[in-house]
């Protein structure tokens, strides 16, 4: 296939994306396309500045598969995968990024080429959420090239330059000798990485807005965009925001202070809050993670004027519990917690039902794999979840 035929296929793939998938099409249009040397680009690749492709590889794809690869590279950029790796091992991070992108594209109706990484269970999860489940295996690599870091061939441990050539310089290079292959790109420096992340964030927001106007933004893409553009808060911040919201002084209509005629007037509630805290002792949550969780709740407890009832449970409630802590007492785990079996959540909620009062909120720290009660209780429940388990009701906070 001649080079002009490859260009025609690429143009056709982009045009179809613009018409059928305007969100993805708008992102692809913001990524200049260049032919690359097969020695460093066997398939397709991106450095967040542009999209590189191996003409022989594109020749082997159908137009539908070409659409997939173009959208795949554009989503890596729009999701700022090049700026979010931080301390993580590169090979595992690259795999996690592909496992985050590919299910979105498949759910959106695109057709993947052979070799694309796809696994069950990671749908609509972020790369950070997927990463802990990826084993370090150098033989497992993404189909495309992620050319953001020093030593773009993929080995770890090399130092990162202070700064790579700016995007404008790369674009100038791309204009030179357009008929030839692009040189292997230099890694991103810190300032360029930050600039590109902000630029792609704006592009993501703009593309989503245009797709919404056209009525062609899928539910999965909508949720992904919403999560990415929302302020990113740690599980600690999310837990604090939820619990302090429950604890704030508020007007209460359930226990009126007085009646005037047939009207029930509200009274101002400014009393201590009753919180039930449960830790899953089935073995899926480590002692260190439990202590981090308890330390965080203990810090919030004083702010909330909270009385805490602590439970531990695997398939049954811990026989020595529950343990109660007044607002002025330090919340701490018992010295020994028996557990390590399976997981059932029903014993905790059955215990609450047998009490005379209900908690203002129940917080359950777990991997969310177990037997849930069939119906949600009448009081709020917050699940702090380690891993990718889902919950049938309540507020779910992801522990990353």
């Amino acid at each position: 296939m001649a080079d002009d035929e490859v260009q025609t296929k690429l143009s056709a793939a982009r045009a179809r994306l613009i018409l059928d998938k305007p969100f993805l099409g708008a992102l692809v249009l913001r990524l200049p396309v260049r032919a690359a040397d097969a020695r460093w680009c066997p398939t397709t690749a991106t450095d967040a500045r542009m999209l590189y492709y191996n003409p022989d590889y594109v020749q082997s794809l159908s137009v539908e598969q070409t659409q997939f690869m173009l959208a795949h590279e554009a989503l890596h950029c729009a999701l700022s995968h090049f700026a979010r790796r931080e301390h993580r091992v590169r090979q595992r991070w690259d795999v996690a990024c592909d496992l985050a992108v590919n299910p979105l594209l498949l759910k959106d109706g695109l057709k993947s080429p052979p070799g694309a990484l796809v696994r069950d269970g990671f749908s609509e999860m972020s790369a950070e959420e997927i990463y802990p489940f990826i084993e370090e295996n150098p033989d497992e690599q993404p189909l495309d090239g992620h050319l953001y870091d020093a030593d773009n061939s993929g080995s770890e441990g090399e130092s990162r330059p202070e700064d790579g050539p700016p995007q404008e310089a790369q674009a100038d290079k791309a204009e030179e000798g357009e008929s030839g292959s692009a040189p292997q790109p230099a890694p991103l420096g810190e300032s360029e990485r930050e600039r590109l992340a902000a630029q792609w964030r704006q592009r993501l927001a703009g593309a989503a807005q245009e797709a919404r106007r056209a009525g062609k933004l899928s539910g999965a893409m909508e949720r992904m965009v919403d999560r990415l553009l929302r302020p990113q808060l740690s599980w600690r911040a999310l837990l604090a925001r939820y619990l302090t919201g429950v604890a704030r002084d508020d007007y209460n209509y359930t226990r009126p202070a007085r009646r005037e005629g047939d009207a029930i007037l509200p009274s101002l509630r400014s009393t201590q809050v009753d919180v039930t805290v449960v830790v899953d002792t089935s073995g899926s949550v480590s002692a260190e993670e439990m202590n981090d969780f308890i330390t965080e709740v203990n810090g919030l407890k004083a702010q909330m004027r909270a009385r805490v009832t602590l439970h531990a449970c695997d398939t049954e409630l811990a026989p020595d519990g529950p343990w109660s802590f007044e607002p002025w007492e330090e919340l701490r785990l018992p010295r020994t917690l028996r557990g390590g079996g399976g997981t059932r959540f029903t014993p905790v909620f059955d215990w609450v039902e047998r009490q005379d009062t209900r908690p203002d909120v129940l917080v359950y720290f777990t991997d969310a794999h177990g037997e849930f009660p069939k119906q949600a209780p009448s009081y709020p429940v917050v699940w702090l979840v380690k891993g990718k388990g889902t919950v049938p009701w309540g507020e779910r906070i992801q522990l990353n």
Side-chain angles (χ1 to χ4, degrees):
M1 182 183 287
D3 183 62
D4 58 347
E5 293 181 70
V6 172
Q7 291 295 329
T8 299
K9 180 184 283 188
L10 291 169
S11 297
R14 280 186 291 183
R16 288 192 189 182
L17 283 172
I18 293 167
L19 292 173
D20 300 335
K21 314 286 182 185
F23 171 67
L24 295 171
L27 295 175
V28 168
L29 280 180
R30 306 308 295 264
L31 200 57
V33 177
R34 279 296 309 273
D37 193 314
R39 289 174 293 184
W40 59 268
C41 182
T43 55
T44 62
T46 186
D47 60 355
R49 307 173 182 113
M50 60 179 56
L51 187 154
Y52 305 95
Y53 69 92
N54 178 347
D56 291 336
Y57 178 69
V58 174
Q59 178 181 354
S60 71
L61 302 179
S62 66
V63 173
E64 290 79 10
Q65 292 169 334
T66 305
Q67 286 180 265
F68 184 98
M69 294 306 294
L70 294 178
H72 178 102
E73 304 300 356
L75 266 189
H76 276 317
C77 300
L79 297 176
S80 294
H81 284 159
F82 57 89
R84 289 163 49 187
R85 179 163 71 93
E86 298 178 347
H87 62 282
R88 299 175 181 88
V89 175
R90 179 178 171 186
Q91 177 267 333
R92 291 174 61 195
W93 175 248
D94 286 350
V95 169
C97 289
D98 267 33
L99 291 174
V101 165
N102 290 343
L104 284 170
L105 297 177
L106 292 171
K107 188 174 285 189
D108 217 30
L110 298 185
K111 182 179 179 180
S112 65
L117 291 176
V118 180
R119 292 188 197 171
D120 293 335
F122 293 135
S123 179
E124 297 191 39
M125 290 176 66
S126 69
E128 285 86 352
E129 292 168 338
I130 295 171
Y131 180 85
F133 301 98
I134 306 302
E135 296 181 0
E136 192 167 355
N137 175 13
D139 293 333
E140 185 177 37
Q141 297 291 340
L143 181 60
D144 61 321
H146 306 166
L147 309 179
Y148 323 127
D149 299 307
D151 182 18
N152 283 331
S153 64
S155 61
E156 290 293 332
E158 300 214 0
S159 61
R160 182 183 295 165
E162 289 295 322
D163 212 345
Q167 184 181 8
E168 293 79 7
Q170 285 287 331
D172 291 342
K173 277 187 178 183
E175 292 299 323
E176 298 171 6
E178 192 154 292
S179 60
S181 296
Q184 184 169 1
L188 298 175
E190 288 302 325
S191 63
E192 188 179 15
R193 194 181 298 266
E194 292 172 5
R195 183 171 65 252
L196 285 169
Q199 190 176 73
W200 277 107
R201 186 181 179 89
Q202 293 175 346
R203 293 170 176 175
L204 177 73
Q209 186 176 18
E210 291 301 316
R212 287 190 195 102
R213 287 175 184 168
K216 291 188 175 182
L217 186 62
S218 69
M221 292 295 181
E222 178 80 63
R223 289 187 291 273
M224 179 270 292
V225 170
D226 181 60
R227 180 165 62 172
L228 199 67
L229 296 183
R230 278 190 319 222
Q232 297 299 300
L233 298 176
S234 69
W235 69 264
R236 291 175 173 83
L238 289 168
L239 183 62
R241 186 171 68 178
Y242 192 91
L243 294 186
T244 53
V246 170
R248 71 181 184 274
D249 291 344
D250 204 352
Y251 286 97
N252 180 10
Y253 287 84
T254 60
R255 293 188 296 273
R258 60 191 184 280
R259 289 179 180 267
E260 294 187 8
D262 294 328
I264 298 177
L265 300 181
S267 61
L268 180 65
R269 183 184 70 183
S270 183
T271 58
Q272 76 177 21
V273 179
D274 290 319
V275 179
T276 297
V277 173
V278 190
V279 291
D280 180 348
T281 56
S282 63
S284 57
V285 179
S286 71
E288 182 181 0
E289 289 166 334
M290 284 187 199
N291 282 317
D292 285 347
F293 167 64
I294 292 297
T295 299
E296 197 64 30
V297 174
N298 189 58
L300 294 170
K301 187 165 82 64
Q303 302 174 34
M304 298 163 53
R305 304 188 302 281
R307 182 179 187 274
V308 173
T309 300
L310 176 64
H311 268 295
C313 185
D314 51 11
T315 58
E316 301 293 340
L317 292 172
D320 299 333
W323 302 269
S324 297
F325 301 87
E326 299 298 332
W328 57 87
E329 292 180 311
E330 180 184 1
L331 177 63
R332 60 191 181 279
L333 287 172
R335 290 186 178 180
T336 58
L337 279 177
R338 284 183 284 177
T343 306
R344 293 173 62 240
F345 305 113
T346 49
V348 171
F349 296 95
D350 290 343
W351 177 87
V352 173
E353 287 300 315
R354 294 194 297 270
Q355 308 309 303
D356 294 332
T357 59
R358 301 289 180 266
D360 291 293
V361 62
L362 185 147
V363 183
Y364 211 126
F365 185 30
T366 178
D367 67 351
H369 292 292
E371 177 190 322
F372 289 88
K374 293 181 180 179
Q375 293 185 336
S378 59
Y379 47 88
V381 177
V382 179
W383 304 91
L384 182 61
V385 178
K386 173 191 175 183
K388 56 185 179 180
T390 59
V391 298
W393 35 258
E395 182 81 11
R396 185 187 186 280
I397 296 176
Q398 178 68 44
L399 178 70
N400 288 330

